[in-house]
Amino acid sequence: MDILILCTSNLNRSKTAELHYRAKDTSHIYRSAGLSEKECHRHKTTLCTEAMLETADVILVMEDEHVKRIQQHTGERFLDKIFNLNIPDVYKCGDDALIARLDACWDEMQFEVLFAHIASSSRAGMHFSDASDEELDARYKAEDTET
């Protein structure tokens, strides 16, 4: 599963979250980026692209403003994969207090359970979409779905 973590400049919060969650959980791909073109260019950090939003299975943001910014640029398309961690921009990269907040979010939002649920739903969806018309006809006969 591909988890994209976003903050304003990809300098402190999202970068720390990417590194920390990657070390904590090696079963998923963790990437991070920033949502402010000005700040990302200034700090030479990764700027979020629409392609990154597209490929992510889950998008973690740090505050309401990040949700609004994504919605402003892409409409409603990605809102169902966004989870707001509500972590203010008061931390430096690697701060122990930030890591404690990230761990609290992990536990509170039960990421392991959430990710497993999303992965199983995605696999079911891929299997369904990969099935041929003949396989679907054999599995779901018209009389089975009509009342």
Side-chain angles (χ1 to χ4, degrees):
M1 174 158 332
D2 188 325
I3 295 98
L4 178 61
I5 308 163
L6 303 171
C7 70
T8 304
S9 63
N10 191 223
L11 189 63
N12 297 310
R13 295 173 291 172
S14 62
K15 182 53 71 181
T16 299
E18 174 190 5
L19 297 172
H20 181 64
Y21 288 155
R22 185 184 294 152
K24 181 181 184 103
D25 173 26
T26 59
S27 63
H28 301 296
I29 298 166
Y30 292 91
R31 297 176 299 129
S32 65
L35 290 165
S36 169
E37 185 173 4
K38 175 184 162 188
E39 291 299 314
C40 287
H41 285 297
R42 185 173 92 151
H43 296 290
K44 295 178 176 51
T45 56
T46 304
L47 177 65
C48 182
T49 64
E50 196 165 331
M52 293 171 90
L53 296 169
E54 235 3 282
T55 60
D57 296 305
V58 173
I59 301 166
L60 303 177
V61 299
M62 298 295 162
E63 53 191 75
D64 289 336
E65 187 59 37
H66 300 145
V67 177
K68 291 175 190 169
R69 189 173 287 224
I70 293 168
Q71 188 175 17
Q72 177 184 30
H73 291 282
T74 64
E76 307 280 318
R77 279 190 2 206
F78 303 110
L79 294 183
D80 62 336
K81 352 186 216 188
I82 297 175
F83 296 87
N84 187 346
L85 302 182
N86 292 307
I87 298 177
D89 193 7
V90 296
Y91 301 99
K92 295 293 180 199
C93 189
D95 275 357
D96 289 340
L98 174 55
I99 291 170
R101 285 287 299 266
L102 291 168
D103 282 340
C105 289
W106 181 280
D107 295 339
E108 181 180 311
M109 298 183 84
Q110 299 180 345
F111 285 148
E112 292 169 9
V113 174
L114 174 68
F115 296 163
H117 175 72
I118 292 169
S120 66
S121 297
S122 296
R123 281 193 299 274
M126 285 191 296
H127 175 72
F128 182 79
S129 65
D130 290 341
S132 69
D133 289 340
E134 292 79 22
E135 288 173 312
L136 292 174
D137 287 343
R139 178 177 254 161
Y140 303 104
K141 296 179 179 142
E143 61 270 10
D144 292 341
T145 57
E146 295 176 2
T147 55

